[in-house]
Amino acid sequence: MRVLETDYLVIGAGASGMAFADTLIAHSDAEVVLVDRRHAPGGHWLDAYPFVRLHQPSAYYGVESLPLGQDRIDEHGPNAGFYERASAAEICDYYTRALDEQLLPTGRVRFLGLTDHRAESSDGHLLVSLLDGTETLVRPRRKVVDATYVQSDIPSRHVPGFTVDESVTLVPPNDLVDLSAPAERFTVIGAGKTAIDTCVWLLEQGVDPDRIRWIRGRDPWQFDRAFTQPLDLVGSYMRLQAVWVETAEAAADGTDFARRLEDAGVFLRIDPAVEPQMFRGATVSRREIDLVRAIEQVVRARRVQSIGARTMITDAGELPGGPGEVYVDCTAAGVPSSAPRPVFEPGRITIQYVGVGFLPWCAATIGFVESAGLGDDEKNRLCPPVVFTGDAADLARLAYAALRGQVARVRDEAVAPWNAASRLNPARAAFDHIDDEDVAGSFAFLIEHTRAALAGLEQSARR
Ligand SMILES: Cc1cc2nc3c(=O)[nH]c(=O)nc-3n(C[C@H](O)[C@H](O)[C@H](O)COP(=O)(O)OP(=O)(O)OC[C@H]3O[C@@H](n4cnc5c(N)ncnc54)[C@H](O)[C@@H]3O)c2cc1C
């Protein structure tokens, strides 16, 4: 068996593993072996549905060392007025370039694609080639980095939790572009961002809203994209920070937190009459929300049990189906729930969210903190994990962990300047726009209120 020694073994070359490795390499002399069972870097984007785009602007997605996109503000189409958002094809090309042009030329990174991490023992980590079964034992001198812990659960790789008669057409959104016959009606199953993307796409293709039925158990709270804009529009993002802190100071609990964010215009819901119960940190535009509100056939079922040739059984009862029905499975969790564990442990790093979303920024932060030569306790103080349970009632707990970490990093003399300049930080242009009223006003507000917000969140997180 081949034996490899390296400083860090990074398992998973998706957005998490790539952003971590890129920042670590830039700030240390470490060697890295990056392993993925997929053939190329990019993770779930390699299997994404063709009409997906980033939820956030490209300007702060990816790895630190390579820009993604042109930092253009779209003038036409559904994203008009906002910074461009890359398609899946652009993102896959980007990660290949990041590997080929940034990481591999350092001579300190090796990429093993189509290779599974199978087992871990005191002797090392067993990797198996999915092409020819060759086994490799990797012995990391410093750490193994689990960049699979918050990996995405996506429709094309997901096994639905219900039975389906073989005569039924059930497809992931990926296959909507390749139907064998036109549908009489589409039944979209799921309430998250993938389901919203799918409904928006169907409507944009001209499908009559009356020919779409939407099985949507719990509605999600979502960020209004207008508040996540960087660079010349960074005032929007700074306003979001100020509103978040103001809300944190006043909110009684997670549910109240969400309602207040809605009152401030930051959170959006789909149905004005139904209070959302779910939160996974997704972002939408008001235009997308307006579009999907045209769909009136909404079934409030939390669970589909089976789909037969003529009927569908759900926890809300039996629903009619038929031969012309195309069911679209959007029940994969996207950002799945994961139990919290320390990011830094002896011999191990587990990449997780350390902020409210923006995974590449989180992973790069962990890479930079790892490079700073601190003890695990100090590193964990700088990077408390932020856990998305999917439940809106947990919003205060999530916000408390995120704000604690943010404050610790802003106060740290090594992390703060790195963070302020990182291309993955949505606020990186804030100092260049200090004359902007939103930026200056938000900074002043944050300086005055962050301590009280932390205290408020500590209380409400306990409820
Ligand atoms: C449609 C969609 C849009 C999104 N948009 C955004 C956005 O705009 N901004 C944002 O911050 N987040 C967004 N997210 C959240 C998303 O989770 C992250 O952006 C990110 O791409 C996830 O990267 P990851 O590396 O954690 O996981 P993945 O992309 O799932 O990568 C994990 C990798 O680990 C590999 N792997 C797993 N187990 C093993 C093993 N045993 N051996 C070898 N390899 C293994 C897998 O093959 C995979 O390539 C979006 C998610 C979805 C689904």
Side-chain angles (χ1 to χ4, degrees):
M1 187 184 335
R2 177 167 71 143
V3 177
L4 279 182
E5 287 215 352
T6 185
D7 293 319
Y8 293 86
L9 169 62
V10 179
I11 308 165
S16 299
M18 288 292 285
F20 171 88
D22 177 76
T23 299
L24 180 78
I25 284 289
H27 294 278
S28 73
D29 59 1
E31 289 177 3
V32 170
V33 168
L34 189 56
V35 57
D36 203 299
R37 50 168 77 128
R38 286 182 164 101
H39 72 286
H44 75 89
W45 293 108
L46 290 157
D47 296 310
Y49 40 98
F51 46 87
V52 74
R53 283 190 178 267
L54 277 176
H55 298 171
Q56 64 167 81
S58 303
Y60 56 97
Y61 195 85
V63 299
E64 277 204 284
S65 66
L66 186 68
L68 170 57
Q70 312 297 318
D71 291 347
R72 269 193 304 253
I73 295 179
D74 285 341
E75 287 178 11
H76 308 285
N79 199 49
F82 297 146
Y83 276 95
E84 64 181 285
R85 298 182 292 128
S87 67
E90 286 175 80
I91 299 168
C92 293
D93 172 64
Y94 169 84
Y95 278 117
T96 298
R97 285 191 295 111
L99 181 69
D100 291 348
E101 296 167 16
Q102 304 299 121
L103 297 187
L104 297 182
T106 65
R108 289 186 283 130
V109 177
R110 256 178 292 192
F111 176 66
L112 305 179
L114 282 176
T115 302
D116 210 9
H117 177 270
R118 286 276 166 87
E120 177 176 353
S121 72
S122 54
D123 199 27
H125 293 261
L126 177 67
L127 309 183
V128 178
S129 161
L130 298 176
L131 260 189
D132 63 6
T134 304
E135 295 188 345
T136 305
L137 190 70
V138 179
R139 296 193 176 124
R141 288 183 286 263
R142 298 191 200 168
K143 288 185 174 172
V144 60
V145 181
D146 183 357
T148 70
Y149 199 65
V150 291
Q151 69 181 305
S152 302
D153 182 17
I154 56 164
S156 61
R157 294 253 175 153
H158 166 85
V159 180
F162 45 85
T163 56
V164 185
D165 186 90
E166 59 184 23
S167 64
V168 165
T169 307
L170 173 77
V171 295
N174 306 53
D175 293 358
L176 281 174
V177 296
D178 204 17
L179 291 177
S180 54
E184 272 170 33
R185 180 170 62 176
F186 295 90
T187 292
V188 176
I189 311 169
K193 187 61 174 61
T194 300
I196 295 178
D197 282 354
T198 300
C199 291
V200 166
W201 183 79
L202 287 170
L203 293 164
E204 280 176 340
Q205 301 313 301
V207 174
D208 187 325
D210 291 342
R211 289 173 64 183
I212 303 174
R213 179 172 61 174
W214 194 351
I215 314 289
R216 202 169 84 218
R218 299 191 306 166
D219 280 8
W221 284 118
Q222 315 209 51
F223 284 104
D224 181 345
R225 184 165 293 129
F227 284 91
T228 60
Q229 298 302 304
L231 304 175
D232 288 347
L233 305 179
V234 70
S236 70
Y237 182 74
M238 294 309 295
R239 230 167 350 113
L240 167 62
Q241 300 304 300
V243 168
W244 189 266
V245 157
E246 185 178 16
T247 307
E249 201 177 335
D253 55 29
T255 305
D256 185 38
F257 196 107
R259 287 179 191 149
R260 286 171 184 266
L261 287 177
E262 182 186 36
D263 290 344
V266 165
F267 264 16
L268 298 176
R269 65 170 87 188
I270 302 173
D271 185 337
V274 175
E275 176 151 16
Q277 306 290 322
M278 200 163 72
F279 174 68
R280 292 198 187 275
T283 303
V284 286
S285 65
R286 283 178 186 267
R287 188 189 156 275
E288 286 170 310
I289 293 286
D290 287 346
L291 262 180
V292 297
R293 280 181 179 166
I295 299 171
E296 290 180 355
Q297 293 182 69
V298 176
V299 180
R300 293 285 168 193
R302 293 275 304 261
R303 185 162 292 279
V304 172
Q305 284 148 10
S306 62
I307 306 178
R310 304 229 147 252
T311 54
M312 177 181 197
I313 312 292
T314 75
D315 61 350
E318 194 173 306
L319 305 170
E325 192 89 37
V326 169
Y327 296 88
V328 191
D329 178 24
C330 301
T331 57
V335 178
S337 310
S338 50
R341 61 180 295 168
V343 170
F344 297 96
E345 296 173 275
R348 176 178 298 273
I349 294 174
T350 307
I351 309 275
Q352 290 161 85
Y353 286 90
V354 295
V356 186
F358 310 140
L359 192 56
W361 185 26
C362 298
T365 299
I366 294 169
F368 183 82
V369 169
E370 170 63 10
S371 74
L374 307 165
D376 279 355
D377 286 349
E378 180 58 7
K379 286 190 273 192
N380 282 322
R381 192 184 67 78
L382 291 166
C383 298
V386 173
V387 177
F388 286 83
T389 62
D391 197 342
D394 288 331
L395 192 54
R397 266 185 288 279
L398 174 153
Y400 179 50
L403 194 57
R404 255 190 323 130
Q406 196 181 340
V407 168
R409 293 191 292 272
V410 164
R411 287 189 182 148
D412 186 273
E413 58 184 30
V415 180
W418 166 79
N419 188 43
S422 172
R423 74 159 283 270
L424 301 177
N425 177 353
R428 78 172 188 272
F431 285 112
D432 299 336
H433 292 78
I434 201 69
D435 294 339
D436 176 326
E437 222 170 86
D438 279 333
V439 175
S442 301
F443 266 131
F445 189 88
L446 290 170
I447 290 166
E448 202 178 325
H449 290 269
T450 299
R451 189 188 293 266
L454 259 181
L457 279 177
E458 190 175 9
Q459 295 295 319
S460 43
R462 289 208 187 105
R463 291 188 192 115

